[in-house]
Amino acid sequence: MVAGGDPGVAASATAQDHWSSRFAFVMAAVGSAVGLGNLWRFPAEAGANGGGAFVIFYILCVVLIGLPILLSETLIGRHGQSSAVESAKVVARESGASDGWSALAWVGMLGAFFILTFYSVVAGWVLYYIGVFGTDLIAAIGGGTLFEGAFAGQSVEQVQGHLPSLFADPLMMILLHGAFMGITIYIVARGVTGGIELAATWLMPAFFLLLVGITVYGAFTGAFGQALEFMFAFNPERLLHGPVMLSALGQAFFSLSLGSALMITYGSYASRSTNLAGASTIIASADTSVAIIAGLAIFPIVFAAGLDPALGPTLMFQTLPASFQAMPAGSLIGFLFFVMVFFAALTSSIALLEAPTSWAIHKFGAGRSRTAITLGLIIFSIGMLSALGYNVLSHVRPLAFWPTFAELDILDSIDAITGKILLPLSGLLTAIFIGWIADRKLTDAENGISGGLHLIWRFLIAWLCPIAVSLILILGIFPGLIG
Ligand code: TRP
Protein backbone atom coordinates (compact mmCIF):
# COMPACT_ATOMS: atom_id res chain seq x y z
CA MET A 1 0.00 0.00 0.00
CA VAL A 2 2.99 2.16 0.52
CA ALA A 3 4.83 1.27 -2.65
CA GLY A 4 4.19 3.08 -5.89
CA GLY A 5 4.73 6.75 -6.46
CA ASP A 6 7.53 8.17 -8.50
CA PRO A 7 10.82 6.43 -7.66
CA GLY A 8 12.70 9.54 -8.76
CA VAL A 9 11.29 11.57 -5.89
CA ALA A 10 13.56 10.06 -3.27
CA ALA A 11 16.42 12.35 -4.25
CA SER A 12 17.96 14.64 -1.67
CA ALA A 13 16.10 17.77 -0.75
CA THR A 14 18.10 20.91 -1.13
CA ALA A 15 15.12 23.07 -2.01
CA GLN A 16 12.35 22.77 0.55
CA ASP A 17 9.80 20.02 -0.21
CA HIS A 18 6.07 20.73 -0.02
CA TRP A 19 2.93 18.70 0.50
CA SER A 20 0.94 18.36 -2.69
CA SER A 21 -2.30 19.51 -1.02
CA ARG A 22 -3.76 20.75 2.24
CA PHE A 23 -5.41 17.35 2.63
CA ALA A 24 -1.97 15.72 2.51
CA PHE A 25 -0.66 18.10 5.20
CA VAL A 26 -3.60 17.46 7.49
CA MET A 27 -3.45 13.66 6.98
CA ALA A 28 0.30 13.54 7.64
CA ALA A 29 -0.03 15.67 10.78
CA VAL A 30 -3.05 13.69 12.02
CA GLY A 31 -1.10 10.54 11.23
CA SER A 32 1.73 11.71 13.44
CA ALA A 33 -0.62 12.70 16.25
CA VAL A 34 -2.78 9.58 16.17
CA GLY A 35 -0.66 6.72 17.46
CA LEU A 36 -0.03 4.39 20.35
CA GLY A 37 -0.69 7.37 22.63
CA ASN A 38 -4.34 7.51 21.56
CA LEU A 39 -4.98 3.81 21.40
CA TRP A 40 -3.82 2.53 24.72
CA ARG A 41 -2.46 5.38 26.73
CA PHE A 42 -5.51 7.62 26.60
CA PRO A 43 -8.14 4.99 27.49
CA ALA A 44 -5.90 3.64 30.23
CA GLU A 45 -5.22 7.08 31.72
CA ALA A 46 -8.87 8.07 31.52
CA GLY A 47 -9.82 4.87 33.31
CA ALA A 48 -7.17 5.25 35.98
CA ASN A 49 -7.87 8.91 36.65
CA GLY A 50 -11.57 9.05 37.30
CA GLY A 51 -13.12 8.88 33.84
CA GLY A 52 -15.26 11.93 33.11
CA ALA A 53 -13.19 14.38 35.14
CA PHE A 54 -10.07 13.35 33.24
CA VAL A 55 -11.80 13.50 29.86
CA ILE A 56 -13.18 17.01 30.48
CA PHE A 57 -9.85 18.27 31.75
CA TYR A 58 -8.06 16.62 28.84
CA ILE A 59 -10.28 18.44 26.32
CA LEU A 60 -9.61 21.74 28.13
CA CYS A 61 -5.86 21.10 27.92
CA VAL A 62 -6.08 20.35 24.20
CA VAL A 63 -8.06 23.51 23.43
CA LEU A 64 -6.38 26.00 25.77
CA ILE A 65 -2.78 24.77 25.74
CA GLY A 66 -2.28 22.18 22.98
CA LEU A 67 -3.91 24.12 20.18
CA PRO A 68 -2.08 27.46 20.72
CA ILE A 69 1.28 25.63 20.85
CA LEU A 70 0.39 23.52 17.81
CA LEU A 71 -0.34 26.71 15.87
CA SER A 72 2.94 28.25 17.07
CA GLU A 73 4.96 25.24 15.93
CA THR A 74 3.41 25.00 12.45
CA LEU A 75 3.86 28.76 12.12
CA ILE A 76 7.59 28.61 12.89
CA GLY A 77 8.04 25.87 10.29
CA ARG A 78 6.04 27.52 7.57
CA HIS A 79 7.85 30.81 8.02
CA GLY A 80 11.30 29.24 8.30
CA GLN A 81 10.92 26.90 5.29
CA SER A 82 13.68 24.63 6.53
CA SER A 83 14.35 21.96 9.14
CA ALA A 84 12.95 22.60 12.63
CA VAL A 85 16.26 23.96 13.97
CA GLU A 86 16.92 26.19 10.95
CA SER A 87 13.31 27.40 10.87
CA ALA A 88 13.50 28.48 14.51
CA LYS A 89 16.74 30.33 13.72
CA VAL A 90 15.13 32.13 10.78
CA VAL A 91 12.23 33.35 12.93
CA ALA A 92 14.62 34.33 15.75
CA ARG A 93 16.91 36.31 13.43
CA GLU A 94 14.05 38.12 11.71
CA SER A 95 12.79 39.03 15.17
CA GLY A 96 16.21 40.38 16.19
CA ALA A 97 16.58 37.59 18.78
CA SER A 98 19.43 35.19 19.46
CA ASP A 99 19.99 32.01 17.43
CA GLY A 100 19.96 30.31 20.81
CA TRP A 101 16.15 30.11 20.55
CA SER A 102 16.67 27.24 18.13
CA ALA A 103 17.15 25.25 21.37
CA LEU A 104 13.37 24.83 21.31
CA ALA A 105 13.77 22.71 18.19
CA TRP A 106 16.92 20.96 19.38
CA VAL A 107 15.28 19.75 22.55
CA GLY A 108 12.22 18.65 20.59
CA MET A 109 14.29 16.81 18.03
CA LEU A 110 16.14 14.91 20.75
CA GLY A 111 12.74 14.03 22.18
CA ALA A 112 11.51 12.66 18.83
CA PHE A 113 14.74 10.72 18.37
CA PHE A 114 14.51 9.01 21.76
CA ILE A 115 10.76 8.41 21.58
CA LEU A 116 11.31 6.46 18.37
CA THR A 117 13.82 4.15 20.09
CA PHE A 118 11.09 2.63 22.26
CA TYR A 119 8.07 3.39 20.07
CA SER A 120 9.46 1.02 17.48
CA VAL A 121 9.96 -1.73 20.09
CA VAL A 122 6.32 -1.47 21.17
CA ALA A 123 5.21 -1.33 17.51
CA GLY A 124 7.15 -4.59 17.12
CA TRP A 125 4.83 -6.15 19.73
CA VAL A 126 1.92 -4.96 17.58
CA LEU A 127 3.41 -6.79 14.58
CA TYR A 128 3.70 -9.89 16.76
CA TYR A 129 -0.01 -9.76 17.61
CA ILE A 130 -0.90 -9.31 13.94
CA GLY A 131 0.93 -12.61 13.49
CA VAL A 132 -0.73 -14.27 16.50
CA PHE A 133 -4.25 -13.27 15.41
CA GLY A 134 -3.46 -13.89 11.73
CA THR A 135 -2.45 -17.47 12.50
CA ASP A 136 -5.55 -17.92 14.61
CA LEU A 137 -7.72 -16.42 11.86
CA ILE A 138 -6.40 -18.89 9.30
CA ALA A 139 -7.03 -21.76 11.71
CA ALA A 140 -10.56 -20.49 12.41
CA ILE A 141 -11.38 -20.24 8.69
CA GLY A 142 -9.94 -23.72 8.13
CA GLY A 143 -11.84 -25.18 11.06
CA GLY A 144 -15.12 -23.45 10.18
CA THR A 145 -15.16 -21.57 13.50
CA LEU A 146 -14.78 -18.07 12.07
CA PHE A 147 -17.87 -16.74 13.86
CA GLU A 148 -16.81 -18.05 17.22
CA GLY A 149 -14.36 -16.53 19.70
CA ALA A 150 -10.62 -16.34 19.07
CA PHE A 151 -8.09 -18.93 20.27
CA ALA A 152 -10.46 -21.89 20.42
CA GLY A 153 -9.30 -24.41 22.99
CA GLN A 154 -6.75 -22.15 24.70
CA SER A 155 -7.07 -21.10 28.33
CA VAL A 156 -7.10 -17.42 29.29
CA GLU A 157 -3.65 -17.95 30.80
CA GLN A 158 -2.38 -19.29 27.48
CA VAL A 159 -3.77 -16.29 25.59
CA GLN A 160 -2.27 -13.85 28.08
CA GLY A 161 0.96 -15.82 27.96
CA HIS A 162 1.76 -14.59 24.44
CA LEU A 163 3.25 -11.37 25.80
CA PRO A 164 5.64 -12.95 28.35
CA SER A 165 6.71 -15.53 25.78
CA LEU A 166 7.50 -12.72 23.34
CA PHE A 167 9.47 -10.90 26.06
CA ALA A 168 11.47 -14.05 26.70
CA ASP A 169 12.46 -14.28 23.03
CA PRO A 170 15.22 -11.73 22.33
CA LEU A 171 15.68 -12.73 18.70
CA MET A 172 11.99 -12.29 17.91
CA MET A 173 11.89 -8.91 19.66
CA ILE A 174 14.89 -7.64 17.72
CA LEU A 175 13.54 -8.97 14.42
CA LEU A 176 10.18 -7.27 14.90
CA HIS A 177 11.72 -4.01 16.11
CA GLY A 178 14.06 -4.18 13.10
CA ALA A 179 11.24 -4.95 10.67
CA PHE A 180 9.21 -2.00 11.92
CA MET A 181 12.22 0.36 11.74
CA GLY A 182 12.95 -0.98 8.25
CA ILE A 183 9.47 -0.06 6.99
CA THR A 184 9.72 3.36 8.67
CA ILE A 185 13.12 4.07 7.10
CA TYR A 186 11.91 2.94 3.69
CA ILE A 187 8.99 5.38 3.70
CA VAL A 188 11.01 8.33 5.03
CA ALA A 189 13.73 7.62 2.46
CA ARG A 190 11.17 7.92 -0.35
CA GLY A 191 10.63 11.56 0.51
CA VAL A 192 7.96 13.99 1.62
CA THR A 193 5.46 13.51 -1.20
CA GLY A 194 6.61 10.13 -2.55
CA GLY A 195 6.78 8.47 0.89
CA ILE A 196 5.34 10.26 3.93
CA GLU A 197 2.38 11.84 2.17
CA LEU A 198 1.53 8.74 0.18
CA ALA A 199 1.60 6.56 3.29
CA ALA A 200 -0.51 9.00 5.33
CA THR A 201 -3.17 9.58 2.68
CA TRP A 202 -3.77 5.82 2.37
CA LEU A 203 -3.16 4.59 5.90
CA MET A 204 -5.13 7.25 7.80
CA PRO A 205 -8.45 6.80 5.93
CA ALA A 206 -8.01 3.02 6.30
CA PHE A 207 -7.34 3.55 9.99
CA PHE A 208 -10.55 5.59 10.43
CA LEU A 209 -12.63 2.96 8.64
CA LEU A 210 -11.26 0.21 10.89
CA LEU A 211 -11.74 2.31 14.02
CA VAL A 212 -15.37 3.10 13.21
CA GLY A 213 -16.02 -0.51 12.18
CA ILE A 214 -14.60 -1.96 15.40
CA THR A 215 -16.42 0.62 17.53
CA VAL A 216 -19.77 -0.16 15.88
CA TYR A 217 -19.06 -3.88 16.34
CA GLY A 218 -18.32 -3.27 20.04
CA ALA A 219 -21.45 -1.16 20.43
CA PHE A 220 -23.62 -4.03 19.15
CA THR A 221 -21.90 -7.06 20.63
CA GLY A 222 -20.07 -5.62 23.65
CA ALA A 223 -20.91 -3.91 26.91
CA PHE A 224 -21.20 -0.41 25.46
CA GLY A 225 -23.17 1.11 28.33
CA GLN A 226 -20.65 -0.07 30.87
CA ALA A 227 -17.83 1.40 28.79
CA LEU A 228 -19.60 4.76 28.57
CA GLU A 229 -20.06 4.69 32.32
CA PHE A 230 -16.40 3.82 32.90
CA MET A 231 -15.02 6.53 30.63
CA PHE A 232 -17.42 9.35 31.31
CA ALA A 233 -18.69 8.79 34.85
CA PHE A 234 -18.26 12.22 36.29
CA ASN A 235 -16.26 12.25 39.45
CA PRO A 236 -16.26 15.90 40.54
CA GLU A 237 -13.97 15.47 43.54
CA ARG A 238 -11.23 14.32 41.18
CA LEU A 239 -11.59 17.24 38.78
CA LEU A 240 -9.25 19.55 40.63
CA HIS A 241 -6.91 16.81 41.70
CA GLY A 242 -3.24 17.64 40.98
CA PRO A 243 -2.04 14.32 39.57
CA VAL A 244 -5.12 14.03 37.34
CA MET A 245 -4.58 17.49 35.87
CA LEU A 246 -0.91 16.75 35.43
CA SER A 247 -1.41 13.52 33.56
CA ALA A 248 -4.12 15.08 31.35
CA LEU A 249 -1.77 17.87 30.28
CA GLY A 250 1.16 15.50 29.75
CA GLN A 251 -1.04 13.18 27.72
CA ALA A 252 -2.35 16.08 25.59
CA PHE A 253 1.24 17.05 24.80
CA PHE A 254 2.34 13.58 23.82
CA SER A 255 -0.81 12.84 21.88
CA LEU A 256 -0.66 16.00 19.75
CA SER A 257 3.05 15.32 18.99
CA LEU A 258 3.94 18.70 20.50
CA GLY A 259 7.38 19.67 21.70
CA SER A 260 9.01 17.17 19.35
CA ALA A 261 10.12 19.45 16.49
CA LEU A 262 7.71 17.52 14.32
CA MET A 263 4.92 20.02 13.87
CA ILE A 264 7.58 22.60 12.95
CA THR A 265 8.98 20.19 10.36
CA TYR A 266 5.58 19.29 8.88
CA GLY A 267 4.57 22.98 8.98
CA SER A 268 7.62 23.79 6.86
CA TYR A 269 6.16 21.62 4.07
CA ALA A 270 2.82 23.50 4.18
CA SER A 271 2.01 25.85 1.33
CA ARG A 272 1.47 29.57 1.82
CA SER A 273 -2.22 29.21 1.04
CA THR A 274 -2.88 26.83 3.96
CA ASN A 275 -4.65 28.50 6.88
CA LEU A 276 -2.57 27.25 9.80
CA ALA A 277 -5.14 27.99 12.51
CA GLY A 278 -7.80 26.08 10.57
CA ALA A 279 -5.48 23.14 9.89
CA SER A 280 -4.32 23.04 13.53
CA THR A 281 -7.93 22.94 14.73
CA ILE A 282 -8.71 20.00 12.45
CA ILE A 283 -5.57 18.16 13.60
CA ALA A 284 -6.33 18.65 17.30
CA SER A 285 -10.02 17.70 16.91
CA ALA A 286 -9.22 14.59 14.92
CA ASP A 287 -6.62 13.46 17.44
CA THR A 288 -8.94 14.02 20.40
CA SER A 289 -11.87 12.30 18.72
CA VAL A 290 -9.73 9.27 17.94
CA ALA A 291 -8.61 9.04 21.57
CA ILE A 292 -12.19 9.08 22.84
CA ILE A 293 -13.48 6.70 20.16
CA ALA A 294 -10.57 4.34 20.90
CA GLY A 295 -11.87 4.05 24.46
CA LEU A 296 -15.34 3.33 23.10
CA ALA A 297 -13.86 0.62 20.87
CA ILE A 298 -11.73 -1.09 23.52
CA PHE A 299 -13.72 -1.03 26.76
CA PRO A 300 -17.02 -2.59 25.51
CA ILE A 301 -15.01 -5.60 24.32
CA VAL A 302 -13.11 -5.88 27.62
CA PHE A 303 -16.25 -5.50 29.75
CA ALA A 304 -18.25 -7.95 27.65
CA ALA A 305 -15.64 -10.57 28.49
CA GLY A 306 -16.12 -9.75 32.17
CA LEU A 307 -12.49 -8.68 32.51
CA ASP A 308 -11.02 -5.82 34.49
CA PRO A 309 -9.61 -3.05 32.32
CA ALA A 310 -6.08 -3.60 33.64
CA LEU A 311 -4.08 -0.52 32.93
CA GLY A 312 -0.76 0.01 31.26
CA PRO A 313 0.57 -2.08 28.38
CA THR A 314 -1.25 -5.17 29.57
CA LEU A 315 -4.56 -3.57 28.54
CA MET A 316 -3.82 -3.81 24.83
CA PHE A 317 -1.51 -6.79 24.78
CA GLN A 318 -3.07 -9.15 27.33
CA THR A 319 -6.54 -8.09 28.47
CA LEU A 320 -7.81 -7.24 25.00
CA PRO A 321 -6.61 -10.48 23.32
CA ALA A 322 -8.24 -12.44 26.14
CA SER A 323 -11.43 -10.46 25.56
CA PHE A 324 -11.49 -11.33 21.86
CA GLN A 325 -11.61 -14.93 22.97
CA ALA A 326 -15.15 -14.36 24.12
CA MET A 327 -16.33 -12.27 21.15
CA PRO A 328 -18.08 -13.59 18.05
CA ALA A 329 -15.60 -13.57 15.13
CA GLY A 330 -12.90 -12.75 17.68
CA SER A 331 -9.95 -13.82 15.51
CA LEU A 332 -11.02 -11.59 12.64
CA ILE A 333 -11.79 -8.54 14.80
CA GLY A 334 -8.59 -9.04 16.81
CA PHE A 335 -6.57 -9.28 13.61
CA LEU A 336 -8.18 -6.10 12.19
CA PHE A 337 -7.67 -4.33 15.51
CA PHE A 338 -3.92 -4.90 15.50
CA VAL A 339 -3.66 -3.99 11.80
CA MET A 340 -5.36 -0.72 12.74
CA VAL A 341 -2.90 -0.12 15.60
CA PHE A 342 -0.05 -0.86 13.20
CA PHE A 343 -1.27 1.80 10.73
CA ALA A 344 -1.50 4.37 13.53
CA ALA A 345 1.94 3.51 14.90
CA LEU A 346 3.55 3.59 11.45
CA THR A 347 2.36 7.09 10.51
CA SER A 348 3.69 8.27 13.89
CA SER A 349 7.06 6.55 13.59
CA ILE A 350 7.52 8.03 10.10
CA ALA A 351 7.03 11.47 11.63
CA LEU A 352 9.38 10.69 14.51
CA LEU A 353 12.13 9.78 12.05
CA GLU A 354 11.39 12.68 9.69
CA ALA A 355 12.07 15.37 12.33
CA PRO A 356 15.78 14.50 12.82
CA THR A 357 16.16 13.37 9.18
CA SER A 358 15.06 16.71 7.80
CA TRP A 359 17.54 18.45 10.10
CA ALA A 360 20.43 16.18 9.10
CA ILE A 361 19.70 16.58 5.37
CA HIS A 362 19.94 20.36 5.71
CA LYS A 363 22.93 20.20 8.02
CA PHE A 364 25.14 17.69 6.24
CA GLY A 365 23.75 17.95 2.71
CA ALA A 366 23.76 14.16 2.35
CA GLY A 367 21.03 12.40 0.37
CA ARG A 368 17.68 11.69 2.00
CA SER A 369 18.01 7.91 1.73
CA ARG A 370 21.46 7.78 3.26
CA THR A 371 20.44 10.14 6.05
CA ALA A 372 17.26 8.23 6.91
CA ILE A 373 19.10 4.89 6.90
CA THR A 374 21.95 6.16 9.10
CA LEU A 375 19.66 7.79 11.66
CA GLY A 376 17.31 4.82 11.56
CA LEU A 377 20.14 2.40 12.30
CA ILE A 378 21.33 4.48 15.27
CA ILE A 379 17.78 4.61 16.63
CA PHE A 380 17.38 0.87 16.04
CA SER A 381 20.57 0.18 17.99
CA ILE A 382 19.56 2.28 20.99
CA GLY A 383 16.12 0.65 20.86
CA MET A 384 17.78 -2.76 21.20
CA LEU A 385 18.63 -1.82 24.79
CA SER A 386 14.89 -1.40 25.49
CA ALA A 387 14.07 -4.71 23.80
CA LEU A 388 16.88 -6.72 25.37
CA GLY A 389 16.28 -5.23 28.82
CA TYR A 390 13.39 -7.75 29.06
CA ASN A 391 15.57 -10.80 28.49
CA VAL A 392 19.30 -11.19 27.73
CA LEU A 393 20.33 -7.97 29.42
CA SER A 394 17.92 -8.14 32.32
CA HIS A 395 20.60 -9.12 34.85
CA VAL A 396 23.44 -7.14 33.27
CA ARG A 397 24.64 -3.90 34.87
CA PRO A 398 25.63 -1.21 32.34
CA LEU A 399 28.27 -0.06 34.86
CA ALA A 400 29.48 -2.19 37.73
CA PHE A 401 27.95 0.03 40.41
CA TRP A 402 24.66 0.67 38.52
CA PRO A 403 21.37 -1.19 38.79
CA THR A 404 20.67 -3.95 36.26
CA PHE A 405 18.92 -3.26 32.94
CA ALA A 406 15.74 -4.83 34.32
CA GLU A 407 15.82 -2.45 37.26
CA LEU A 408 16.65 0.53 35.05
CA ASP A 409 13.72 -0.38 32.79
CA ILE A 410 15.17 1.47 29.80
CA LEU A 411 11.89 1.55 27.88
CA ASP A 412 9.88 3.16 30.66
CA SER A 413 12.72 5.46 31.65
CA ILE A 414 13.17 6.87 28.15
CA ASP A 415 9.39 7.25 27.94
CA ALA A 416 9.40 9.18 31.22
CA ILE A 417 12.39 11.41 30.40
CA THR A 418 11.06 12.34 26.97
CA GLY A 419 7.43 12.76 28.07
CA LYS A 420 8.03 14.57 31.34
CA ILE A 421 11.11 16.63 30.53
CA LEU A 422 12.10 16.99 26.86
CA LEU A 423 8.67 17.54 25.27
CA PRO A 424 7.39 20.01 27.92
CA LEU A 425 10.73 21.87 27.88
CA SER A 426 10.56 22.30 24.11
CA GLY A 427 6.88 23.34 24.39
CA LEU A 428 7.69 25.86 27.12
CA LEU A 429 10.47 27.44 25.07
CA THR A 430 8.14 27.59 22.06
CA ALA A 431 5.40 29.33 24.06
CA ILE A 432 7.82 31.91 25.49
CA PHE A 433 9.42 32.45 22.11
CA ILE A 434 6.15 33.01 20.23
CA GLY A 435 4.45 34.75 23.16
CA TRP A 436 7.21 37.22 24.01
CA ILE A 437 10.18 37.16 21.66
CA ALA A 438 9.08 36.64 18.06
CA ASP A 439 8.15 39.63 15.94
CA ARG A 440 4.37 40.19 16.05
CA LYS A 441 4.10 41.22 12.41
CA LEU A 442 5.81 38.02 11.39
CA THR A 443 3.62 35.73 13.51
CA ASP A 444 0.43 37.60 12.59
CA ALA A 445 1.16 37.17 8.90
CA GLU A 446 1.37 33.38 9.37
CA ASN A 447 -1.27 32.40 11.88
CA GLY A 448 -4.45 32.91 9.86
CA ILE A 449 -6.60 34.37 12.65
CA SER A 450 -7.78 37.88 13.44
CA GLY A 451 -10.03 39.81 15.79
CA GLY A 452 -11.15 38.26 19.08
CA LEU A 453 -9.69 34.84 18.31
CA HIS A 454 -6.33 36.44 17.70
CA LEU A 455 -6.43 38.19 21.07
CA ILE A 456 -7.35 34.95 22.79
CA TRP A 457 -4.49 33.12 21.09
CA ARG A 458 -2.03 35.85 22.16
CA PHE A 459 -3.21 35.64 25.73
CA LEU A 460 -3.04 31.85 25.84
CA ILE A 461 0.40 31.58 24.25
CA ALA A 462 1.94 34.39 26.32
CA TRP A 463 0.40 33.56 29.70
CA LEU A 464 -1.54 30.35 30.17
CA CYS A 465 0.76 28.08 28.11
CA PRO A 466 4.05 29.07 29.77
CA ILE A 467 2.56 28.84 33.26
CA ALA A 468 0.79 25.52 32.73
CA VAL A 469 3.70 23.91 30.90
CA SER A 470 6.19 25.13 33.53
CA LEU A 471 4.04 23.34 36.07
CA ILE A 472 4.18 20.01 34.29
CA LEU A 473 7.89 20.44 33.85
CA ILE A 474 8.56 21.22 37.52
CA LEU A 475 6.27 18.46 38.74
CA GLY A 476 7.73 16.07 36.17
CA ILE A 477 11.22 16.68 37.55
CA PHE A 478 10.16 16.76 41.22
CA PRO A 479 7.20 14.38 41.43
CA GLY A 480 7.39 14.53 45.21
CA LEU A 481 5.85 18.01 45.19
CA ILE A 482 2.32 16.65 44.80
CA GLY A 483 0.71 13.76 46.56
N1 TRP B 1 1.53 11.55 19.11
C1 TRP B 1 2.10 10.23 19.08
C2 TRP B 1 1.09 9.26 19.70
O1 TRP B 1 0.08 9.66 20.20
C3 TRP B 1 3.40 10.16 19.80
C4 TRP B 1 4.35 11.27 19.49
C5 TRP B 1 4.86 12.16 20.35
C6 TRP B 1 4.87 11.60 18.22
N2 TRP B 1 5.67 13.03 19.71
C7 TRP B 1 5.70 12.72 18.41
C8 TRP B 1 4.68 11.07 16.97
C9 TRP B 1 6.33 13.33 17.33
C10 TRP B 1 5.32 11.67 15.90
C11 TRP B 1 6.14 12.79 16.08
O2 TRP B 1 1.33 8.09 19.70
Side-chain angles (χ1 to χ4, degrees), residues 32-33 35-38 115 119 254-257 260 262 348 351-352 423:
S32 114
L36 296 170
N38 303 60
I115 289 174
Y119 209 84
F254 184 83
S255 192
L256 292 172
S257 303
S260 357
L262 186 269
S348 297
L352 287 164
L423 306 194

